[in-house]
C-alpha cells in the first residue's frame, strides 16, 4: 500500500511534526491539498484531532463573546500555548 504524498513535506524532504502541521492549518496558511491531507491524518491522530477541534471551539466562543470583533492578541497567545501543552 502506497501512502499518499504528504503535501506538508518541505523541498528538503523534512517531515513536519503534528504540531507544525496543525499550526499551519490554524493560521490559515495551508493549501487546499494540505487541508485535505490533514483531515485524513486527523482521523487517525488523536492529538491533531483534539488540537484542531479545541482551537475551532475557542474561535467560535470568542466570536460569540466578542460580538465578532478581534480577540486580543494576548488572549489568543495564551489560549494557543494552552492548546500546545495539551497536545504535546
Ligand atoms: Zn497528528
Amino acid at each position: 500500500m502506497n501512502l499518499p504524498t504528504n503535501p506538508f513535506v518541505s523541498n528538503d524532504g523534512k517531515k513536519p511534526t503534528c504540531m507544525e502541521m496543525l499550526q499551519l492549518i490554524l493560521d490559515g496558511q495551508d493549501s487546499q491539498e494540505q487541508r485535505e491531507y490533514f483531515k485524513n491524518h486527523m482521523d487517525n491522530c488523536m492529538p491533531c484531532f483534539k488540537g484542531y477541534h479545541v482551537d475551532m471551539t475557542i474561535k467560535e466562543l470568542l466570536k460569540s463573546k466578542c460580538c465578532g470583533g478581534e480577540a486580543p492578541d494576548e488572549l489568543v497567545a495564551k489560549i494557543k500555548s494552552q492548546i500546545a501543552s495539551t497536545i504535546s
Side-chain angles (χ1 to χ4, degrees):
M1 185 181 119
N2 284 325
L3 286 169
T5 314
N6 185 339
F8 286 95
V9 173
S10 50
N11 290 333
D12 58 10
K14 189 180 165 285
K15 215 178 162 223
T17 63
C18 284
M19 195 59 212
E20 284 166 351
M21 290 194 284
L22 189 60
Q23 208 60 59
L24 212 67
I25 299 282
L26 296 178
D27 287 347
Q29 289 172 356
D30 55 309
S31 67
Q32 180 73 35
E33 208 184 7
Q34 287 173 327
R35 187 159 293 238
E36 287 298 316
Y37 180 89
F38 188 78
K39 272 186 195 163
N40 274 320
H41 169 80
M42 205 163 59
D43 287 342
N44 301 301
C45 183
M46 196 38 90
C48 284
F49 183 84
K50 256 170 77 179
Y52 182 79
H53 285 280
V54 166
D55 196 89
M56 286 299 146
T57 307
I58 290 166
K59 276 185 182 148
E60 288 304 309
L61 208 74
L62 288 175
K63 249 192 247 167
S64 57
K65 294 224 179 208
C66 303
C67 310
E70 286 289 303
D73 285 349
E74 202 185 305
L75 180 63
V76 173
K78 204 172 146 190
I79 293 167
K80 278 195 176 177
S81 73
Q82 275 174 6
I83 294 167
S85 64
T86 309
I87 65 173
S88 60

